[in-house]
């Protein structure tokens, strides 16, 4: 059903049509910070894939889907990263993906800035969250390929996702900041996704 809808959308004229952009994991970054006693410790996820379905004329029709590899979490400390992947935190072996599927886009009051509501699933727990999403522009990238840029932020409480280890040492508030570059998908790619990551994404968002 998702692919059929995208194929239908791609038949409309380019400008003013619904456009599909696939996240470029090489030029995107999903970072976070969480407190450890009195300071903030940063980290990031290296495995991020997803799709923006964008209606520039009517942003409320836009959608975003994303799948993150839980085991790709990195804080530049191997022992800590292994602990974060363990059952103490993300249980990455049991729950290998973190998924987000938007359900609503609304203007956040700024220029090209939106409050995007959606379902975030971490460690098998699905919660509704609101992301602040800012469009950073549309245009030509390398080799004159059409791309779009996005900045996403959110504040999460890790306990909402059954991640509560380290109370009194590790903070519960997780600040998320994401920078995304996404490639415009050609109409012929709508029916047959070109990369394996998109096949995984489609299975996840269909759940």
């Amino acid at each position: 059903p998702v692919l059929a809808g995208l194929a239908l959308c791609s038949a409309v004229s380019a400008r003013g049509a619904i456009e599909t952009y696939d996240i470029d994991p090489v030029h995107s970054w999903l970072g976070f910070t969480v407190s450890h006693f009195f300071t903030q410790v940063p980290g990031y996820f290296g495995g991020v894939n997803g799709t923006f379905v964008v209606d520039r004329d009517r942003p409320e029709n836009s959608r975003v889907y994303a799948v993150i590899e839980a085991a790709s979490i990195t804080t530049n400390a191997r022992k800590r990263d292994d602990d974060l992947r363990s059952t103490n935190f993300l249980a990455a072996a049991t729950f290998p993906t973190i998924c987000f599927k938007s359900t609503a886009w609304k203007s956040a009051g700024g220029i090209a800035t939106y409050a995007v509501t959606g379902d975030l699933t971490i460690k098998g727990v699905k919660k509704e969250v609101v992301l602040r999403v800012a469009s950073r522009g549309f245009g030509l990238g390398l080799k004159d390929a059409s791309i779009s840029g996005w900045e996403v932020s959110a504040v999460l409480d890790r306990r909402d996702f059954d991640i509560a280890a380290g109370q009194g040492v590790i903070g519960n508030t997780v600040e998320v900041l994401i920078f995304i570059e996404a490639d415009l998908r050609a109409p012929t790619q709508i029916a047959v996704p070109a990369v394996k990551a998109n096949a995984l994404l489609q299975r996840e968002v269909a759940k």
Side-chain angles (χ1 to χ4, degrees):
V2 173
L3 291 178
L6 295 180
L8 178 62
C9 292
S10 68
V12 188
S13 59
R15 186 62 182 98
I18 294 180
E19 302 167 314
T20 300
Y21 290 85
D22 293 317
I23 293 174
D24 177 357
V26 175
H27 297 105
S28 301
W29 186 81
L30 193 166
F32 64 88
T33 58
V34 63
S35 65
H36 182 268
F37 287 110
F38 308 114
T39 192
Q40 295 290 314
V41 175
Y44 67 94
F45 287 88
V48 182
N49 291 281
T51 300
F52 282 78
V53 181
V54 182
D55 186 335
R56 288 194 250 171
D57 292 333
R58 296 185 177 181
E60 65 274 13
N61 293 333
S62 298
R63 298 289 183 268
V64 59
Y65 314 99
V67 175
I68 301 154
E69 297 172 18
S72 71
I73 192 169
T74 304
T75 64
N76 292 325
R78 186 171 66 179
K79 185 176 180 180
R80 179 171 60 209
D81 292 346
D82 288 343
D83 193 28
L84 291 171
R85 296 177 186 119
S86 77
T87 54
N88 291 332
F89 293 92
L90 292 175
T94 305
F95 304 100
T97 56
I98 296 169
C99 304
F100 178 80
K101 180 179 180 180
S102 69
T103 55
W105 284 57
K106 295 182 180 179
S107 173
I111 298 175
T113 303
Y114 310 97
V116 177
T117 302
D119 294 324
L120 177 63
T121 304
I122 302 176
K123 203 177 177 182
V125 179
K126 181 189 291 186
K127 293 287 185 181
E128 185 177 83
V129 300
V130 179
L131 310 180
R132 182 179 177 85
V133 177
S135 170
R136 293 307 182 200
F138 298 84
L140 299 180
L142 295 175
K143 299 181 179 179
D144 289 334
S146 295
I147 62 173
S148 61
W150 306 86
E151 184 175 317
V152 182
S153 60
V155 177
L156 307 175
D157 188 327
R158 65 189 179 100
R159 295 170 298 183
D160 289 342
F161 301 93
D162 195 27
I163 303 174
Q167 293 297 304
V169 177
I170 302 170
N172 293 313
T173 299
V174 181
E175 297 183 9
V176 179
L177 183 59
I178 308 169
F179 301 103
I180 292 172
E181 183 173 300
D183 302 319
L184 179 65
R185 191 189 298 182
T188 55
Q189 292 179 296
I190 299 295
V192 184
V195 293
K196 186 177 181 181
N198 278 340
L200 171 62
L201 174 66
Q202 289 148 13
R203 288 198 299 271
E204 293 294 340
V205 301
K207 293 179 179 178

